[in-house]
Amino acid sequence: MAKQIFVTGGVTSSLGKGIIAASLAKLLQARGLKVTIQKFDPYINVDPGTLNPYEHGECFVTEDGAETDLDLGHYERFLNIHTSQLNNVTTGRIYQTVINKERAGDFLGKTVQVVPHITDEIKHRMLLLGKTNQFDIVITEIGGTVGDIESLPFIEAVRQLQWELPDEDVLVIHLTLIPYLKAAKELKTKPTQHSVKMMSENGVHPDILVCRTEEVLGNDIKNKIALFCNVKPEAVIEALDASTIYEVPLLMLREKLDVITLKKLGIKEYAEPNLDNWKIFLDKLKYPKAKITIGLIGKYIELQDAYKSILESFIHAGAINEVKVQVIDIHSEFINEQTVAEKLKGLDGLLVAPGFGNRGIDGKIIAVQYARENNLPFFGICLGMQMAVIEFARNVLHIADAHSVEMNANTTNPVINMMEEQKKIKLMGGTMRLGSYPCEIEEGSLANRIYGTTLISERHRHRYEFNNAYLVQFENAGMIASGTNPETGLVEIMEIPDHPFFIGVQYHPELKSTVESPAPLFVHFIAAAKKYNESRSK
Ligand code: GLN
């Protein structure tokens, strides 16, 4: 069985547990160990698929079609591995399983209780990935902050595992904040002491403290934290604010987080960390040769996390192209025929984002038209592709009422239609077309040049699709379906060969972009934008 590392958080939320977990995993992986990360979330939704991106950020989709927390995106981007349905568990999922068992009569007349039934199910799920024989180490990130009512059963499960498993098989890392009081010019350790005390009251004693801080901690503070929190001084790890999340593994390397982890877990066989590719990437990221500007058109632009994977994909693709990608968020509701030229002025490329529902649709369509008519590189993802289809239908094919049935159920020209199998679905959670499907690419197309192959597989999350009844009309007028699902004929990629770079995809390429394997569509989109920028400045 794999060794278990638990990562909890204290003092405040948003300290970056996911990044710390992913950075430690990266270092252990770079030392030749097989590592994965899972996230346990304390909310009652069975998965985050039904959560509003405003509240919870983007919903990340795995290969096997699980709708998961966005931290799984970080795990994949850092580790260059695939996560799965097993890597994200919520309180809702735990209760659902226990209640189903109760209804099936599995508890034989017993009173079903939080301890032991809920905690047993949590422990079972915590250990599940470690039993697959695929990993040396499983890192479990516990969502929320220690002290939340909701997190208690998870903390209790960690306590029991710390007690049940051999000492060398369990490690608890607690991430806290050391605030800096400007007026007093002092770093304050009290909140951390309280947070560790709260954990101790729950019976869990952290082995390592990772301390987020704006200022260097210094040995005095480290020793003080160690003394009052009952850990060794070398187990107090400074996590200074970094200029990019991709720097954090190197900061953790410097602080020897991996070394102390290996020591505590009694792991003796490991290599020197090989982070060569990572450092090359970081160098290119930090010292770009030029800057380009991409407009991201969406309706959740106020919240950075809503388009997390897209923004990270731009970072990966920018580094490879040695340019800094400045992403300008443009709210689609502010685009109309009068404002479009002004709003899109100075852009080197336009990305129309995924999304749901009617809000801001008209602005998106007008923006696509502008990109198409002005040879501005265009990239549409999911809803973004559907908008490109509607725009082309209306303005090139002159089908004035062309629409998606998602926005207008009664349109006489549904160029975007609900997928057949979706029509009978009534439940909302986990019922979209989710996860990875193959796509066959037309030889000689832009998509073919981008991917360098004719068969790809990408991840999905949608209910609507291009209506193939209109395909001949589209292709005759210059917009072609260059990628389709080999079994169903579902259109996956639309492009305009006469345009320098105009492509829309029904799937989500951003979900597979990692530091070591950037998504080809993003890489080529940025290359096209770079070219556009150079031609503009000439
Ligand atoms: N709302 C659209 C659909 O369901 C697009 C979904 C998306 O952009 N993820 O097909």
Side-chain angles (χ1 to χ4, degrees):
M1 206 180 79
K3 298 194 185 251
Q4 307 288 330
I5 299 176
F6 296 98
V7 180
T8 59
V11 183
T12 75
S13 57
S14 307
L15 288 183
K17 277 192 304 268
I19 301 298
I20 293 293
S23 298
L24 173 59
K26 184 77 220 166
L27 294 179
L28 297 170
Q29 186 193 56
R31 287 182 176 278
L33 294 157
K34 293 196 285 298
V35 193
T36 192
I37 318 180
Q38 55 185 349
K39 172 120 197 239
F40 278 60
D41 275 313
Y43 51 76
I44 299 179
N45 304 61
V46 171
D47 63 43
T50 51
L51 286 173
N52 184 337
Y54 274 123
E55 265 184 50
H56 205 75
E58 144 194 294
C59 173
F60 188 78
V61 180
T62 57
E63 284 290 293
D64 62 351
E67 294 179 297
T68 72
D69 185 79
L70 57 77
D71 269 325
L72 272 79
H74 289 308
Y75 309 160
E76 294 203 359
R77 289 187 282 272
F78 273 57
L79 297 179
N80 203 26
I81 58 165
H82 290 161
T83 56
S84 74
Q85 188 82 55
L86 291 182
N87 293 65
N88 194 192
V89 179
T90 67
T91 292
R93 173 87 61 197
I94 298 283
Y95 271 80
Q96 191 183 46
T97 310
V98 172
I99 291 169
N100 286 345
K101 281 190 192 162
E102 187 274 334
R103 291 290 82 184
D106 288 1
F107 295 112
L108 292 171
K110 285 256 181 307
T111 308
V112 181
Q113 294 179 297
V114 174
V115 183
H117 302 99
I118 294 298
T119 47
D120 279 352
E121 183 59 29
I122 295 174
K123 286 193 291 179
H124 165 71
R125 290 299 306 252
M126 282 174 167
L127 299 181
L128 208 53
L129 273 172
K131 289 179 180 155
T132 59
N133 277 333
Q134 295 176 56
F135 308 105
D136 304 311
I137 296 174
V138 176
I139 301 181
T140 303
E141 179 192 346
I142 313 272
T145 309
V146 168
D148 297 347
I149 293 177
E150 305 186 310
S151 323
L152 273 175
F154 292 116
I155 301 293
E156 168 60 13
V158 174
R159 182 192 73 78
Q160 293 181 20
L161 288 175
Q162 217 179 11
W163 178 75
E164 282 166 23
L165 297 175
D167 282 352
E168 288 197 332
D169 287 355
V170 193
L171 179 80
V172 178
I173 299 177
H174 189 54
L175 176 64
T176 82
L177 175 72
I178 309 289
Y180 180 73
L181 288 193
K182 279 209 181 77
K185 294 200 177 63
E186 252 186 285
L187 286 160
K188 290 295 180 190
T189 65
K190 193 72 86 191
T192 296
Q193 294 179 39
H194 279 300
S195 176
V196 173
K197 188 170 158 213
M198 191 134 53
M199 280 190 82
S200 304
E201 279 166 8
N202 294 328
V204 178
H205 185 71
D207 300 288
I208 297 175
L209 297 176
V210 177
C211 304
R212 278 295 304 272
T213 170
E214 288 170 48
E215 300 286 325
V216 175
L217 289 185
N219 281 340
D220 284 353
I221 299 272
K222 279 193 175 180
N223 286 333
K224 184 174 172 190
I225 296 169
L227 176 67
F228 285 108
C229 298
N230 203 20
V231 297
K232 293 274 183 272
E234 69 264 25
V236 179
I237 303 291
E238 167 190 283
L240 264 179
D241 289 355
S243 60
T244 147
I245 54 170
Y246 297 108
E247 183 125 46
V248 180
L250 300 182
L251 295 182
M252 292 302 104
L253 181 71
R254 221 166 55 204
E255 283 286 300
K256 302 196 169 68
L257 176 61
D258 55 335
V259 175
I260 178 148
T261 297
L262 291 164
K263 192 170 136 197
K264 293 241 176 206
L265 291 176
I267 296 172
K268 306 219 163 55
E269 267 172 61
Y270 52 82
E272 278 304 302
N274 178 355
L275 290 162
D276 294 349
N277 289 341
W278 195 269
K279 287 179 186 160
I280 293 172
F281 158 77
L282 209 54
D283 247 22
K284 288 192 175 165
L285 179 62
K286 284 166 86 175
Y287 308 106
K289 297 198 174 118
K291 190 179 107 181
I292 58 154
T293 309
I294 300 292
L296 173 88
I297 308 232
K299 69 169 180 181
Y300 303 118
I301 54 161
E302 299 86 351
L303 190 78
Q304 283 290 306
D305 278 356
Y307 301 116
K308 195 82 209 159
S309 293
I310 290 177
L311 297 177
E312 297 303 322
S313 301
F314 277 134
I315 291 176
H316 308 154
I320 265 214
N321 280 292
E322 301 188 69
V323 292
K324 177 174 171 52
V325 181
Q326 181 188 24
V327 179
I328 303 217
D329 301 315
I330 304 170
H331 206 305
S332 49
E333 284 188 317
F334 300 143
I335 299 177
N336 55 44
E337 256 125 29
Q338 283 71 48
T339 60
V340 64
E342 169 64 24
K343 290 270 174 212
L344 306 191
K345 196 177 71 194
L347 296 183
D348 302 311
L350 180 74
L351 183 135
V352 178
F356 295 85
N358 216 350
R359 230 183 92 199
I361 289 301
D362 296 335
K364 290 186 179 181
I365 295 172
I366 291 168
V368 178
Q369 180 180 10
Y370 180 90
R372 181 177 57 77
E373 292 177 347
N374 291 283
N375 284 339
L376 178 67
F378 168 83
F379 183 12
I381 299 181
C382 207
L383 184 71
M385 176 205 100
Q386 298 175 355
M387 293 299 106
V389 165
I390 294 169
E391 190 278 319
F392 196 85
R394 289 184 187 175
N395 298 324
V396 180
L397 302 180
H398 304 294
I399 310 175
D401 65 343
H403 218 324
S404 161
V405 295
E406 180 180 6
M407 327 303 166
N408 177 1
N410 304 318
T411 174
T412 43
N413 282 293
V415 288
I416 302 294
N417 220 345
M418 187 178 263
M419 284 180 280
E420 209 39 54
E421 69 269 23
Q422 285 288 327
K423 290 184 182 158
K424 21 185 200 300
I425 291 173
K426 295 275 176 298
L427 292 177
M428 285 293 275
T431 55
M432 281 186 248
R433 179 170 179 255
L434 290 166
S436 118
Y437 286 92
C439 164
E440 222 160 52
I441 292 180
E442 197 78 29
E443 206 124 13
S445 62
L446 172 63
N448 184 210
R449 289 196 296 283
I450 289 173
Y451 281 94
T453 170
T454 52
L455 186 65
I456 58 163
S457 155
E458 292 277 12
R459 298 185 197 169
H460 300 74
R461 185 173 190 248
H462 65 122
R463 291 188 204 283
Y464 300 86
E465 63 174 332
F466 177 78
N467 185 344
N468 271 322
Y470 293 88
L471 185 58
V472 174
Q473 257 179 291
F474 270 77
E475 296 207 323
N476 286 343
M479 183 186 252
I480 64 160
S482 57
T484 47
N485 180 289
E487 282 122 53
T488 62
L490 178 140
V491 171
E492 295 278 9
I493 311 176
M494 290 296 266
E495 60 182 76
I496 299 180
D498 275 346
H499 189 285
F501 191 99
F502 190 106
I503 193 160
V505 294
Q506 187 55 71
Y507 51 82
H508 292 263
E510 73 276 19
L511 299 175
K512 275 175 67 170
S513 188
T514 71
V515 166
E516 269 145 280
S517 171
L521 268 164
F522 279 87
V523 174
H524 285 261
F525 175 54
I526 294 302
K530 191 174 155 187
K531 215 162 125 192
Y532 185 83
N533 177 283
E534 284 158 6
S535 72
R536 265 198 320 147
S537 42
K538 267 184 214 141

